[in-house]
DNA sequence: TTTCATGCAAAATGTTTGCACACGA
DNA sequence: TCGTGTGCAAACATTTTGCATGAAA
């Protein structure tokens, strides 16, 4: 997983979620805490069922049902803590809060996801929007292809084939 | 629907699909012809169920079952005639063959989809890929926000509110 | 103690598949 | 004719929902 560093934020994800819940008269339950802990313990992209599996197989007291996982993921997106995006034919979540805006390179060979940041891309996006009188809120860009590693292997393989 | 013109191609979509089917020892059946006709009769974006509905409600002899619609859409993508992409939480199809490469502005207010073409974007994409040793095959970019029309209405509304 | 959340099971959605019959080349 | 395709219904995969019980504030 690429690491683009962080964006300074005054609250932890946990605190931010607490504020969100409070503002909506919702409760910060044990289950919601378990989910936030799990989700923010690593920076990997994951889909709903990945998380269900992790939290469902637990033998300790920290099991959470499928419905609660799905419901809570929705709230985390609403709270601005997670972003949901389509990757091939999977729907994956990634950290949004405290993490810089970025786009993705997705290797169709080995399924590696590379994050990258490019400021010109952002300006170009805004310029296009301006030309259309369009007010951008967000965007999703995924470039599909093959990564450096896979390109290397293929070249080696091709060379071997030639021998 | 925006119209970006066409790209010159030597075969009609129908002929191209015929070639594809032949190359795979598949048959160009009545149902497949009905689907190609319908899909290429307009440039709108549509999802599988839109098409199922259109072809299922027909009273003439041109009804096609749900399974055949789904199966054929897959072949049309494989044949390079259609592109599939995520739009919000829908999966929509659009023409690929004979249509220029482009990206999308999606209005979250009125659900309008605006297509645009921007060559700098393409070069920038390729530059980013080069920096990462990544070989691009395709990409999906959707910018979410509000369109000129909706921005106008909102401004008017705001002005009225102030009176 | 009141209000909201959970877990379960059922339902809803979107898509794929096995199979008997039908059709295209 | 032969091999493929179709339609149907059933299976699947994913996500949502109604409801009785349980926990947070």
């Amino acid at each position: 997983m690429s690491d683009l560093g962080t964006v300074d934020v005054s609250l932890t994800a946990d605190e931010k979620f607490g504020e969100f819940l409070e503002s909506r008269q919702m409760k910060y339950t044990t289950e919601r805490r378990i989910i936030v802990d799990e989700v923010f313990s690593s920076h990997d992209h994951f889909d709903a069922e990945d998380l269900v599996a992790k939290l469902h197989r637990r033998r300790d007291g920290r099991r959470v049902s499928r419905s609660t996982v799905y419901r809570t993921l929705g709230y985390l997106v609403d709270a601005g803590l997670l972003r949901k995006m389509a990757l091939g034919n999977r729907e994956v979540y990634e950290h949004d809060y405290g993490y810089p805006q970025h786009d993705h390179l997705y290797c169709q060979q080995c399924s590696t996801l590379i994050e990258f940041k490019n400021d010109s891309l952002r300006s170009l996006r805004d310029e296009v929007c301006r030309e259309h009188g369009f007010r951008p809120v967000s965007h999703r860009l995924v470039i599909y292809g093959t990564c450096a590693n896979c390109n290397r292997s293929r070249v080696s393989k091709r060379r071997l084939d030639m021998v």
Side-chain angles (χ1 to χ4, degrees), chain A:
Chain A
M1 176 61 46
S2 34
D3 186 356
L4 303 178
T6 57
V7 166
D8 281 343
V9 285
S10 48
L11 302 177
T12 62
D14 179 80
E15 289 165 343
K16 179 101 190 288
F17 195 40
E19 282 202 347
F20 169 84
L21 292 172
E22 197 175 350
S23 77
R24 298 239 238 151
Q25 280 99 261
M26 294 167 74
K27 294 170 181 171
Y28 208 158
T29 61
T30 309
E31 290 79 4
R32 289 177 183 163
R33 283 182 205 282
I34 292 170
I35 291 171
V36 171
D37 279 3
E38 182 60 48
V39 162
F40 286 93
S41 71
S42 93
H43 185 65
D44 295 335
H45 292 64
F46 63 94
D47 65 27
E49 287 300 320
D50 290 338
L51 188 57
V52 168
K54 262 190 200 161
L55 295 179
H56 205 64
R57 81 165 82 96
R58 289 200 171 159
R59 294 259 142 247
D60 54 15
R62 301 170 70 73
R63 308 176 106 234
V64 182
S65 72
R66 167 169 284 103
S67 350
T68 298
V69 169
Y70 275 93
R71 278 187 284 239
T72 306
L73 283 173
Y75 299 137
L76 289 172
V77 169
D78 292 346
L81 295 184
L82 292 181
R83 272 162 59 94
K84 190 180 186 177
M85 64 168 200
L87 201 66
N89 38 19
R90 251 177 20 135
E91 290 286 333
V92 302
Y93 293 88
E94 65 175 7
H95 296 177
D96 191 2
Y97 184 67
Y99 200 73
Q101 186 276 327
H102 62 275
D103 296 298
H104 299 89
L105 302 173
Y106 181 70
C107 180
Q108 296 171 315
Q109 213 94 118
C110 67
S111 301
T112 293
L113 191 64
I114 300 160
E115 298 180 334
F116 71 89
K117 225 163 88 79
N118 187 301
D119 293 334
S120 319
L121 202 53
R122 178 63 168 248
S123 341
L124 194 48
R125 176 198 93 165
D126 292 342
E127 191 186 313
V128 168
C129 288
R130 223 174 297 120
E131 285 167 8
H132 287 81
F134 190 92
R135 187 190 311 275
V137 170
S138 67
H139 73 260
R140 295 285 185 282
L141 168 62
V142 180
I143 303 176
Y144 296 92
T146 50
C147 71
N149 247 317
C150 290
N151 290 332
R152 230 187 325 277
S153 329
R154 271 173 139 198
V155 170
S156 321
K157 194 155 175 290
R158 229 179 279 136
R159 281 196 190 123
L160 284 172
D161 287 346
M162 290 192 299
V163 177

